[in-house]
Amino acid sequence: MNKLKTIIMSAVLSAVSASSVIADDFKYNNERFADLQMLRYKVPGFDQLSLRQKTLVYYLSEAALCGRDILFDQNGAYNLRIRKMLETVYTDYQGDRSSADFKAMETYLKQVWFSNGIHHHYGYHKFTPHFTQEFFRRALRGVDATKLPLQKGQSVDDLCNEVFPVIFNPEIMAMRVNQKDGEDLVRTSAANYYGAGVTQAEAEAFYEAQKDTLAPEPVMYGLNSRLVKKNGKLQEDKWVLNGLYGQAIKKIVFWLEKAEKLAENPSQRAVIKELVKFYTTGDLKTFDHYSILWLKDTDSMVDFVNGFIESYGDPLGLKASWEAFANFKDLDATKRTEKLSSNAQWFEDNSPVDPRFKKDKCTGISAKVITAAILGGDLYPSTAIGINLPNSNWIRKQHGSKSVTIGNLTDAYNKAAHGNGFNEEFVIDEATRKLIDDYGDVCDDLHTDLHECLGHGSGRLLEGVGDDALKAHGSAIEEARADLFALYYLADPKLVELGLTPNMEAYKSNYYHYMMNGLLTQMVRIQPGKDIEEAHMRNRQLIARWAYEHGKEHNVVELVKRNNKTYVKVNDYAALRGLFGDLLKEIQRIKSEGDYEGARQLIETYAVKVDPKLHQEVLSRYDALDLAPYKGFINPVYVPEFDSEGNITDVKIDYTESYADQMLRYSTKYGYLPYINE
Ligand code: ZN
C-alpha cells in the first residue's frame, strides 16, 4: 500500500533535471520492446563496502531472486507453464527466427518476463499475442517435448489445447486485478489468490469472521495464503516452508540463514531470525514481530526486504505478492531525509488536516536514502523508487515505520530520460521548462521523501475504523493522501529554512509537473477506450482533476490550446497549494472516518474516466516522440570470488548481462517451483 510506484511514474515520464546531468559513460538505456524500455542501474559505493558487507549483500541478493516463481504463480495459475513453453521455443526453435511470428513471440515472452505473467504489470489487462496459434503449436511440436511443462500422460497437443485459450482468447482471464464496482472481483480477477469457485462474498465473509477491528494488535488476515474451497469448505493454503510455494521458500531461507551469520549487529540478526521463523510457521503474529524488529533496525548499513508485502495484486487488498530487494545506505543523501524525519512532529502539527485526525505524537519515522543492490519479485524489473513499510496500521501507529528512497534508481531514471524530447513536447513554455530543468531533480527527490517519510506516516484513524474500510478504493486514497502531503509541504517556507529547497520558486517545478502528468501525460499509459484502473494513476488524476475543477472559478489552472495542442497552464501556484491543502484535509477525513462512500464518490468523479478526445491527442503526440511509457531494470550480476578453501574473498559486480540472458538464467537457476502449484 505504501510503495512509491506513483512517483516513479513521474520520474519515468519526465525528462527532469536535464541541466544537472553530468556526463557519464555508463549506458543507462538498454533494449526496448512493446511499451517497455529496459534500463540499467549503477550500484555506486558497493566497492567501498567491507568484504563482510559485500558478502552479506550477495547472500541477500540470492535470497531476493529465489522467490521469482512465487510471484509468477501468484499472478496467474498458468503463468509458469506459459513462460516455460515460450522459453523453450525461444531457445530451441529450429525454424526461421526472423519470421514475423517468431519475432512477435519473442516480444510477447519479453512482456511476460517483465510482468511476471501474462497480464500487463501496470494496466492489469492481458497481453495480446501477435503470433498465431498455428505457429506456436507447430513450434511446440518441434521442440524436445521433455523440456515442456507436460503433466503426466499429457501430449504436446493436450497442453496446447489446455493452455492456448488462456493465451489467445481475450475473454478468458482478461484482467489480473478487476476493480469494477458491482462485479464479483474475486471471480473476475485472474490473480491466483483465490481457488476455483471462491466468490468475493465468501472470501469477504471468511475474513470478516476472523477480524476483530477492536483488537489492539490485529494481524493482517489472509496476507500469506491462497483461499481455496476443499470439499465445499473454505480453507487457507499457507505460503510456508512446508506448504504452498515451500520449494522456493526453502531456498530463500537457505540464503537468509547464511546472511544471518554475517549480520552487522544483534538487531539485524534478530530481524533475519524472525523472518526465517515466519517463513517456517506462516504465523502472522510472528510477521508483525519481524516487522517491528525490521523497522527498528536503522543502524545497519546493509538492509533488505524479503516477503509477502504489498496487496495491490489482490482485488480485495488482503493477499500480498512476494517481493524482495537488497540495499545499503547512501550516507550523504540520508542527511536530507533525516532533516525531514527529525521535524516530523512539526509537519504533523502544521498540516491543514482536522486536529482530530492528527497524530499527537509522531513516533519512529526513520528515513534514509539507499542504494539498491538487487531487485526481486514484485520489485523487478518494474520497481519502486521509495518504500515505506510495514503496512500494518497498528504497527505504524505504535512503532512507526521505516521509509527509504532509492537514490541510484531515481538517478538512473533521470539520466536515461535526459534529452528525450518529452518536456519539449508537453511543457507549455521555455520558462516552465527552465524551472523544471533547474529544480525538477531536487523537488522530485523531495516529493518522494515527503511522500514516504512523512505522508504515509501522518494522520490517524478514528477509534474503531478498520484498515480496510475503504475497500477497493483504499490504495488510491492512501496514495493520494501521501502525495498531497508532499505537494502541500513542497511549497512551504519550512523547506527553505531547512535548506532542502533553494528558494520559494523551486516547488513550482513539481507542481507544474504533477498537474501536467495528472491531467495529460499519464494518459499515455492507458489504451484508447479504457478507464484508469491502477491505484497510483487514479490517485494522480484524482488530485490533478480535483484541483483543476475546484480552481476553475479563480482560473488557478487552465488547459489551453496552442497550435491545436493542449497544454497545462498554471496561473496561480499559491492558490494551487491552497487547493492541495483543501483536498488533503478532505482525503484525511475520509481515511480517518473510513468513509467508503466519500472515497467512492471522489474516485468515480475524478479518477477513473478520461476524456477520449484529449486522450487521443496525448497518445498521438506521445507516439510521435517514440518513447516507451514504462521502464524497468536489468539487475547487475554479483560474482563471488573464492579461495581454495571455498571462502569468499571478494564480490565483483558485472553490468553486462543482457535482458533475455538474465531472464533465462533466472528461470533456470531460480526455477524452484513446479509448473502447477495447488
Ligand atoms: Zn505511496
Side-chain angles (χ1 to χ4, degrees), residues 1-7 312 386 388 451-452 456 475 478-480 482-483 536 539:
M1 145 170 90
N2 299 306
K3 195 159 49 182
L4 240 217
K5 281 188 173 157
T6 351
I7 305 209
Y312 299 106
N388 182 323
H451 176 116
E452 292 294 342
H456 280 308
S475 296
E478 175 57 22
E479 291 313 317
D483 263 3
H536 293 88
N539 141 50

Side-chain angles (χ1 to χ4, degrees), residues 187 262 324 328 371 387 389 405 513 526 541 563:
R187 300 192 73 158
L262 295 186
F328 55 91
T371 301
I387 282 180
L389 292 171
T405 51
H513 186 264
I526 303 293
Q541 179 164 303
N563 302 324

